[in-house]
Amino acid sequence: AIFYFLSVSIALAACFVIWGGLLDARKSDSLKGLRGARERCLFECLLLLVALVSMAGVPPFMGFAANLNMVTALFDQHESILLMLYVITLVLQLVVVAKMLGLVFFAEPDDHDGMLGTVIGVGTKMRIALFTLIAPLFLLGFFWEGVWSTLVEKANSFINF
């Protein structure tokens, strides 16, 4: 559960920072301001893609390992009702992620503010910060077993100390 919480926290933090930057640049207060954002700031949209896909639990990202751990733990504990609710939540999460990605990548951009041709995104320092926030979602997706076993060992040695 801690690994899942960590995974979702990192992904949501990245999503909120990217959404906020893109919506602020468009002077929009609704998600419709993200329509066709790929035309204006592809780098931020790709980072958003990584965060959303990780949150949805698609391999090889950290969210997949976290969701796999949760499903395995619920299955091992014979919690069938909680397991069904969790799987339903995952399906709903996939639907929301698909809608968000469709809005950003496949919706026709609107040019109601005349800013379609300009590249509007977050600054270079923010891009570096976003990249360092997104990197664990990808890296821990590949190496989660080693990281998890090390964390469990350290926690057990701390408790037994």
Side-chain angles (χ1 to χ4, degrees), residues 73-134:
L74 289 172
F75 188 76
D76 289 345
Q77 296 294 323
H78 304 290
E79 297 286 347
S80 57
I81 295 174
L82 287 177
L83 181 62
M84 286 184 353
L85 289 174
Y86 188 73
V87 169
I88 290 170
T89 304
L90 287 177
V91 170
L92 292 175
Q93 210 172 18
L94 281 171
V95 169
V96 170
V97 166
K99 286 190 181 267
M100 287 299 302
L101 292 177
L103 184 68
V104 171
F105 284 99
F106 302 114
E108 287 299 318
D110 56 350
D111 195 21
H112 72 280
D113 54 5
M115 301 171 79
L116 183 60
T118 61
V119 176
I120 299 173
V122 295
T124 304
K125 290 180 182 177
M126 184 61 83
R127 285 182 179 182
I128 293 170
L130 284 172
F131 185 74
T132 58
L133 189 62
I134 295 290

Side-chain angles (χ1 to χ4, degrees), residues 1 7 24-25 29 41 52 61 83 91-92 119 122 127 134 137 152:
S7 166
D24 184 54
D29 58 353
C41 37
L52 285 173
F61 299 103
L83 181 62
V91 170
L92 292 175
V119 176
V122 295
R127 285 182 179 182
I134 295 290
L137 295 177
V152 168

Side-chain angles (χ1 to χ4, degrees), residues 20-32:
L22 292 175
L23 292 175
D24 184 54
R26 287 297 296 251
K27 307 289 188 261
S28 177
D29 58 353
S30 73
L31 290 178
K32 290 184 180 179

Side-chain angles (χ1 to χ4, degrees), residues 20-72:
L22 292 175
L23 292 175
D24 184 54
R26 287 297 296 251
K27 307 289 188 261
S28 177
D29 58 353
S30 73
L31 290 178
K32 290 184 180 179
L34 294 176
R35 289 183 65 85
R38 72 186 185 292
E39 298 289 333
R40 295 180 301 279
C41 37
L42 184 62
F43 182 75
E44 288 85 358
C45 290
L46 291 175
L47 290 178
L48 181 66
L49 171 74
V50 169
L52 285 173
V53 168
S54 175
M55 200 167 57
V58 176
F61 299 103
M62 184 177 172
F64 173 73
N67 285 331
L68 182 65
N69 281 343
M70 287 294 289
V71 168
T72 304

